[in-house]
Amino acid sequence: MESTLVMIVKSIVIFAFILQIVPIILLAERKLLGRFQSRIGPNRVGPKGLLQPLADVFKLLSKEASAPATAVPWMMAIAPVISIVTAVATLAIIPFGPFDAWGGEFGLYGIDVPIALLYFFAFGSLGFYGLVLGGWASGSKYSFLGAMRAAAQLISYEVALGLSLLGVAMTAGSLSLVDIVEAQDGMWYVVPQFVGFCIFMVAGFAETARAPFDLPEGDAEIVGGYNTEYGGMRFGSFFMAEYIEVIVISAIAAACFLGGWHGPGPVALAPLWMFLKLMAGVFFFIWIRASLPRLRYDQLMSFGWKVLLPLATLNVLVTAFVLVAT
Amino acid sequence: MWFEQVLFFVAAIGALGGALGVVILRNPFYSVLALVAHLVALAMLFLLLHAEFIAAGQVVVYAGAVMVLYVFVVAYIGGSDEPLRPEGGAISTFGPLFAAAIAIELCIAMLGTGLEAVDSKGADIGAGFGSPAAIGELLLRKFLVAFEAASFLLLIAAVGAVVLARRRRGLEEVA
């Protein structure tokens, strides 16, 4: 059992980690997108453009938070908070190492709950109230359309996301992420659960509303979707929440399918392996964004319900049969 | 210990406030949001009762899925302020009577049983109480028939909703 002091330190470390990693991922994304598109990317601020995120954040902080006359101001203010809080809360369950990795006094994770996967879904499903309320409260038709798209898209893909992880939970026999990672000592679940892994990644792209599923903020059709009327750091909060969700989805994928902290070398290196796998997931998100065009909205919905959901159900059924037979 | 007590009062006030908001607020969109707040507060109360699985299920199913559909529909067709009182008729006469009857009945029920547990430690809970494994054991072994019957009931409701929606569309085509 861990003392209250350890829990407080852990909370601070999680927040510090996120606040440091998001600007780095932001810069990596802009640099990589540049390379993918045969450009150099941002290279003006600081050596090799390394200080670009600092400039971006300073710009966002110094901007005015304006709102249309038709908006509901208090709800507009609260929506980005919901997005950020729910995204950060999920990070508490990401395991970076076993309990005895560093000295045996504490586990390298925020909390080890027996219902970790459900916890992930609970905060994930609360998170899109941020998008929906933000879009609705803005009092503009583009924001409203973006919010409605977000609601329909997230509720459609959350089912497939849940079913894709059900196979993992059944194979490991637990909903706790720590148990799931420990069960992958011999073989990573990406091998027996390959279909589940593919479904999880596709549905994960839709859950984070990243390209090619970024319909809620499809800038060619509805300006900026739910964040059209947002400016300054409120927009920055939505932006940051999206990147935290990318980290969370990558981390869950790493923990559930890619063996989590398992890797060669001593056990003290566990957080390093977890971090590398997490960043590989983030890189994959950026790679896909640079490679695939945005889908049409009806394509998105029919793909989710007619292809992904039956496939996920089949995956669960086959996994269940295999587990019972062996 | 004091943390649990603080959390209880926060969640209880949230649940009561949310429930009142559903009834009192005039804008249906705010009513739906009050219901969401109420459900989240209820989930916190479940957490205090060591029912983590039910708390997570409450948030995932009700706050995360069912209420999103409510928000979706109300945001599309609602949004305007509704008058609080109906235009008279039987409802405004008998409504308060029935409400008072239910209130009295609830008070009698609560005074009769629930208050005895106040100031005691409550029932003993074993290890693993409220864990996914324990709940799965109960649902799929002890109460399997009731569980399957409930799933059939939900299936019938879903099919019925589809049938009703189909019929409505047929009528529109005739008109």
Side-chain angles (χ1 to χ4, degrees), chain B:
Chain B
M1 214 60 216
W2 60 270
F3 178 72
E4 280 185 8
Q5 283 166 3
V6 169
L7 199 61
F8 170 77
F9 279 104
V10 169
I13 291 169
L16 286 177
L20 276 179
V22 176
V23 187
I24 291 174
L25 290 171
R26 293 188 164 209
N27 188 326
F29 193 78
Y30 292 139
S31 288
V32 171
L33 292 184
L35 190 50
V36 175
H38 169 74
L39 291 169
V40 172
L42 271 192
M44 282 164 75
L45 288 176
F46 282 137
L47 271 185
L48 287 174
L49 292 171
H50 297 275
E52 290 93 356
F53 184 84
I54 296 182
Q58 168 96 356
V59 173
V60 172
V61 175
Y62 284 102
V66 176
M67 291 318 293
V68 171
L69 290 180
Y70 277 51
V71 168
F72 197 79
V73 171
V74 172
Y76 258 127
I77 61 171
S80 59
D81 287 1
E82 298 283 329
L84 256 187
R85 288 171 192 210
E87 303 293 319
I91 287 184
S92 59
T93 323
F94 290 108
L97 274 179
F98 282 116
I102 289 179
I104 292 170
E105 195 181 334
L106 282 177
C107 286
I108 292 171
M110 264 194 284
L111 289 173
T113 59
L115 292 183
E116 284 173 14
V118 173
D119 219 27
S120 71
K121 283 193 76 177
D124 277 333
I125 52 166
F129 176 83
S131 71
I135 288 184
E137 190 80 17
L138 284 179
L139 281 185
L140 297 175
R141 290 250 165 82
K142 197 170 173 192
F143 300 112
L144 179 65
V145 178
F147 179 68
E148 291 299 325
S151 68
F152 268 108
L153 192 68
L154 288 174
L155 182 67
I156 291 167
V159 172
V162 171
V163 169
L164 286 177
R166 279 269 167 96
R167 194 172 293 161
R168 177 82 50 83
R169 195 187 296 158
L171 277 178
E172 274 171 5
E173 277 165 16
V174 171

Side-chain angles (χ1 to χ4, degrees), chain A residues 106-120:
Chain A
F106 52 89
L108 296 176
Y109 38 76
I111 40 173
D112 174 26
V113 280
I115 49 158
L117 293 182
L118 285 171
Y119 178 101
F120 162 61

Side-chain angles (χ1 to χ4, degrees), chain A residues 66-92:
Chain A
S66 62
T70 46
V72 186
W74 64 271
M75 206 187 279
M76 243 186 121
I78 217 173
V81 179
I82 297 178
S83 281
I84 285 269
V85 168
T86 53
V88 173
T90 320
L91 280 163

Side-chain angles (χ1 to χ4, degrees), chain A:
Chain A
M1 207 52 211
E2 294 160 342
S3 64
T4 316
L5 184 69
V6 171
M7 298 301 281
I8 293 172
V9 170
K10 273 182 180 179
S11 315
I12 295 172
V13 168
I14 289 174
F15 265 97
F17 170 74
I18 279 308
L19 289 175
Q20 300 311 313
I21 199 84
V22 168
I24 294 173
I25 289 178
L26 211 65
L27 179 70
E29 168 154 48
R30 295 186 62 176
K31 281 279 190 191
L32 283 168
L33 279 182
R35 293 292 171 184
F36 280 124
Q37 296 161 353
S38 301
R39 300 182 282 119
I40 293 175
N43 65 344
R44 283 288 178 270
V45 192
K48 292 184 183 290
L50 280 177
L51 295 180
Q52 183 67 38
L54 205 63
D56 287 343
V57 169
F58 188 71
K59 183 197 78 174
L60 284 174
L61 279 175
S62 60
K63 277 174 110 174
E64 179 193 8
S66 62
T70 46
V72 186
W74 64 271
M75 206 187 279
M76 243 186 121
I78 217 173
V81 179
I82 297 178
S83 281
I84 285 269
V85 168
T86 53
V88 173
T90 320
L91 280 163
I93 57 163
I94 305 299
F96 278 88
F99 192 80
D100 49 359
W102 288 357
E105 290 297 314
F106 52 89
L108 296 176
Y109 38 76
I111 40 173
D112 174 26
V113 280
I115 49 158
L117 293 182
L118 285 171
Y119 178 101
F120 162 61
F121 286 115
F123 278 103
S125 55
L126 285 182
F128 64 96
Y129 278 107
L131 311 191
V132 173
L133 292 189
W136 186 84
S138 294
S140 121
K141 59 183 173 189
Y142 297 115
S143 302
F144 182 70
L145 285 173
M148 291 297 107
R149 281 185 175 192
Q153 171 176 336
L154 296 179
I155 206 169
S156 306
Y157 279 79
E158 202 173 60
V159 187
L161 197 74
L163 286 176
S164 69
L165 286 180
L166 200 54
V168 170
M170 287 196 298
T171 317
S174 173
L175 288 172
S176 150
L177 279 178
V178 175
D179 291 352
I180 287 175
V181 173
E182 267 163 10
Q184 295 176 74
D185 204 5
M187 187 180 5
W188 294 0
Y189 282 157
V190 67
V191 181
Q193 286 288 326
F194 184 70
V195 181
F197 177 65
C198 295
I199 295 167
F200 180 82
M201 286 317 285
V202 173
F205 274 89
E207 280 292 299
T208 50
R210 295 271 302 178
F213 299 121
D214 55 347
L215 274 301
E217 43 189 304
D219 39 11
E221 308 146 34
I222 50 172
V223 194
Y226 61 88
N227 59 32
T228 304
E229 304 295 344
Y230 277 91
M233 209 49 215
R234 286 183 183 175
F235 167 76
S237 305
F238 271 135
F239 203 59
M240 193 168 153
E242 184 183 314
Y243 280 89
I244 299 174
E245 276 167 18
V246 168
I247 297 173
V248 166
I249 293 281
S250 306
I252 298 274
C256 286
F257 295 101
L258 301 177
W261 64 69
H262 290 302
V267 72
L269 285 180
L272 177 73
W273 294 120
M274 182 63 192
F275 185 71
L276 284 179
K277 288 168 186 173
L278 192 161
M279 290 315 281
V282 174
F283 176 75
F284 185 66
F285 268 89
I286 298 169
W287 190 5
I288 292 292
R289 178 180 170 184
S291 310
L292 293 179
R294 182 178 299 135
L295 270 82
R296 225 170 49 222
Y297 190 64
D298 58 314
Q299 291 173 330
L300 171 93
M301 292 309 273
S302 63
F303 178 72
W305 287 107
K306 293 178 185 165
V307 180
L308 213 57
L309 187 58
L311 203 62
T313 315
L314 200 65
N315 181 46
V316 169
L317 280 178
V318 170
T319 310
F321 279 128
V322 170
L323 281 178
V324 170
T326 51

